[in-house]
Amino acid sequence: MSTASLDLAKRCSREATLAGAKAAAVATIASAIPTFASVRMSPWAKANINPTGQALIISTVAGMAYFIAADKKILSLARRHSYENAPEHLKNTSYQGTGRPHPAFFRP
């Protein structure tokens, strides 16, 4: 692996980590507020969701947000870089069609 592609991979990894951390921070706040409020106001939640359950709810949401945001960032960067390095004949993504009529089951 060349140093340029290794540097690019490191930069993409850093960007994905940062995007995931931002998403996790927002998700933590967005899930903590309703979780704590429901435990204080709802008799059912007060009786059935202990502090461990509350922490589990909040951390699960934060973890999911982290991995989803990081994965989306990695995929978008991979698409962008693969498009930049693609040959010109592959960069034309417009559909020209074959000129043949669609089969009956594809007709609107």
Side-chain angles (χ1 to χ4, degrees), residues 16 19-20 23 60-75:
T60 301
V61 171
M64 288 171 38
Y66 175 85
F67 285 110
I68 290 169
D71 189 47
K72 284 179 67 172
K73 185 68 169 182
I74 289 171
L75 288 174

Side-chain angles (χ1 to χ4, degrees), residues 1 8 10 14 20 22 24 28 30 35 39 45 52 66-67 69-70 83 94 97-99 101:
M1 190 176 237
L8 182 64
K10 285 181 181 179
R14 195 173 303 116
K22 286 179 183 177
T28 299
T35 301
V39 168
T52 304
Y66 175 85
F67 285 110
Y83 183 79
S94 64
T98 59

